[in-house]
């Protein structure tokens, strides 16, 4: 039986002066109040450097159940525990292997989630019944202040309704979760824009279960070989159990069906243009998510793109800029009346791998090679 809870959601601005750290925010009334809500079993949405999270006390099964209800999230999709200090790991895992310790030293606080065998204090609801647990220390003063003030590990998925793009602004959280959570902390737009890299550290060689804000290249500089789980490539034909349950769900889907076009300019730009014209000729209202370079190409070729809905992701040569913009672009296109969406593929290097992974998901694996 599903229990629907109507909550009186409070939207609170958290002023973060330039250069402010978590210690400057810790004793502010807004952080103290939000921390109290968490300790009492409530739900608080808060900014991190990646995307907004929907938090509850991760050691309280009932509070965690509230997250699944608010998001409409399948119960077998486990949550990440967020911590403000490495020492808190001892509450969550029986032991910290040297490799995980090294990764935490280098990349925390930051967009890296480490998966380890779980300790008995972590309830099954939090891990979706798995015997492993995912942990990360976010790099955001509001998140760190909230976690420190709450004094408990905070389970937090992205603060969107399941199946919607992850929220990178408080307004996105309001659109999805108004009336379903107690407090939404507004700390401005997030900087990274895609979720953390999820790294399985339970075996001898770490495996990327979800590409994200920390690149494979950066991880390899610290720990040598890192593998990429085959499911990350979006290859559906792979047999066997999915190691990260989140990967089997259709995520980040815009309302209109999307197709991803991969390749290199100028062939890529020609194919994108051709496809937009074909769809238009079939009576579709076309939206495109493209790079600045694509826009320049149209201008130079005198191609009129004014009758298409355009969402501009940034430069193809700057994966961080693309990452910061993709979810907002997907949401922006959802606000229009487009009936078909064309996504421009970008180089899958560095954080670009995470960007391409999210674009593939948005396209539900409908991919064209130019
Ligand atoms: O950047 C982020 O990671 C954001 C912010 C809020 O921290 N959180 C986030 O959470 O993206 P969520 O729940 O939307 O995605 C968590 C991912 C899912 O794909 C889930 O399946 C995977 O992490 N995951 C969690 N626990 C796991 C575990 N024990 N083993 C394998 N995968 C796990
Ligand atoms: Mg999510």
């Amino acid at each position: 039986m599903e229990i629907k809870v109507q909550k009186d959601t409070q939207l609170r601005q958290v002023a973060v002066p330039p250069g402010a750290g978590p210690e400057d925010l810790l004793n502010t009334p807004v952080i103290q109040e939000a921390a109290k809500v968490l300790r009492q079993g409530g739900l608080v949405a808060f900014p991190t450097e990646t995307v907004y999270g929907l938090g509850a006390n991760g050691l309280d099964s009932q509070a965690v159940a509230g997250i699944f209800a608010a998001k409409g999230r399948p119960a077998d999709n486990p949550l990440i525990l967020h911590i403000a200090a490495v020492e808190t790991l001892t509450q969550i895992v029986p032991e910290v292997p040297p490799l995980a310790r090294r990764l935490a030293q280098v990349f925390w606080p930051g967009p890296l989630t480490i998966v380890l065998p779980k300790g008995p204090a972590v309830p099954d609801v939090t891990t979706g019944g798995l015997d492993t647990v995912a942990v990360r220390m976010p790099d955001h003063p509001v998140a760190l202040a909230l976690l420190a003030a709450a004094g408990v590990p905070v389970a937090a998925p992205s603060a969107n309704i399941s199946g919607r793009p992850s929220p990178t602004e408080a307004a996105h959280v309001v659109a999805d979760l108004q009336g379903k959570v107690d407090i939404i902390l507004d700390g401005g737009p997030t900087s990274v824009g895609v979720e953390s890299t999820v790294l399985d550290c339970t075996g001898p060689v770490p495996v990327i279960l979800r590409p994200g804000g920390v690149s494979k290249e950066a991880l390899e500089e610290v720990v040598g070989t890192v593998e990429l789980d085959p499911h990350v490539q979006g290859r559906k034909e792979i047999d066997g159990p999915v190691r990260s349950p989140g990967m089997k769900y259709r995520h980040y889907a815009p309302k209109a069906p999307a197709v991803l076009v991969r390749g290199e300019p100028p062939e890529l730009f020609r194919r994108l243009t051709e496809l937009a014209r074909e769809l238009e000729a079939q009576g579709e209202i076309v939206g495109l998510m493209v790079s600045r370079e694509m826009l320049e190409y149209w201008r130079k070729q005198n191609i009129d793109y004014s009758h298409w809905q355009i969402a501009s992701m940034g430069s193809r040569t700057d994966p961080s800029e693309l990452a910061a913009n993709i979810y907002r672009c997907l949401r922006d296109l959802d606000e229009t009346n487009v009936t078909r969406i064309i996504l421009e593929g970008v180089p899958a290097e560095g954080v670009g791998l995470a960007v391409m992974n999210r674009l593939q998901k948005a396209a539900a694996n409908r991919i064209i090679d130019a």
Side-chain angles (χ1 to χ4, degrees), residues 125-363:
V125 264
T126 300
T127 63
L130 296 178
D131 51 14
T132 56
V133 62
V135 195
R136 92 172 185 103
M137 189 190 296
D139 187 13
H140 194 291
V142 174
L144 289 170
L146 177 68
L147 296 169
V152 291
V154 171
S158 48
N160 51 291
I161 295 288
S162 277
R164 295 267 293 147
S166 291
T168 54
E169 297 170 19
H172 301 162
V173 183
V174 173
D176 280 15
L177 296 176
Q178 177 78 41
K180 299 183 169 181
V181 302
D182 297 294
I183 297 183
I184 298 170
L185 296 179
D186 182 352
T190 64
S191 56
V192 176
V194 291
E195 300 89 340
S196 61
T197 302
V198 178
L199 191 68
D200 185 333
C201 294
T202 58
V205 178
V207 182
I208 295 178
L209 302 180
R210 176 180 72 181
V214 174
S215 70
K216 183 170 188 278
E217 295 87 336
L219 291 170
E220 285 183 327
E221 262 175 47
V222 176
V223 293
T225 307
V226 171
E227 282 171 8
L228 200 55
D229 188 282
H231 287 93
V232 170
Q233 317 288 356
R235 284 157 51 198
K236 277 198 265 180
E237 71 275 17
I238 294 158
D239 291 330
V242 182
R243 287 170 78 177
S244 178
M247 290 193 298
K248 72 181 180 220
Y249 297 106
R250 182 166 171 264
H251 265 161
Y252 323 119
K255 287 179 194 144
V259 61
L260 172 64
V261 186
R262 293 189 301 205
E264 285 297 320
E267 196 41 47
L268 172 66
F269 294 165
R270 276 199 285 273
R271 190 74 190 90
L272 280 161
T273 310
E274 199 178 271
L275 188 60
R277 286 175 169 156
E278 277 166 25
L279 288 172
E280 195 174 34
Q282 292 164 18
E284 304 285 0
I285 305 167
V286 180
L288 293 114
M289 226 169 106
V290 295
S291 66
R292 203 143 53 229
E293 288 81 358
M294 172 91 254
L295 296 173
E296 278 158 22
Y297 169 88
W298 282 333
R299 282 186 209 116
K300 276 203 195 115
Q301 305 279 323
N302 284 316
I303 292 168
D304 175 17
Y305 58 89
S306 62
H307 38 113
W308 300 328
Q309 286 288 344
I310 306 298
S312 179
M313 296 187 278
S315 170
R316 289 178 61 77
T317 62
D318 185 350
S320 305
E321 188 186 9
L322 298 167
N325 287 319
I326 50 167
Y327 284 133
R328 184 187 44 77
C329 284
L330 285 169
R331 279 185 185 256
D332 285 351
L333 284 177
D334 264 352
E335 301 286 299
T336 68
N337 60 348
V338 298
T339 58
R340 294 295 290 272
I341 293 173
I342 303 172
L343 307 169
E344 175 185 334
V346 297
E349 280 136 41
V351 179
L353 180 67
V355 174
M356 274 302 269
N357 171 263
R358 305 312 189 267
L359 291 177
Q360 263 171 36
K361 287 185 178 220

Side-chain angles (χ1 to χ4, degrees), residues 41-120:
L43 298 178
V44 175
F46 61 95
T48 79
E49 81 282 30
T50 58
V51 301
Y52 274 73
L54 169 56
N57 178 351
L59 305 183
D60 173 345
S61 356
Q62 243 186 318
V64 172
I67 293 179
F68 286 90
K71 273 189 67 109
R73 181 176 173 111
D76 67 347
N77 194 359
L79 306 178
I80 296 170
L81 286 180
H82 294 68
I83 59 176
V86 179
E87 302 83 77
T88 312
L89 271 178
T90 56
Q91 290 179 37
I92 300 171
V93 300
E95 85 179 303
V96 185
L99 183 116
R101 192 165 291 282
R102 177 93 189 102
L103 287 165
Q105 245 168 21
V106 177
F107 294 104
W108 283 359
L112 177 68
T113 293
I114 298 177
V115 175
L116 291 170
K118 87 172 189 73

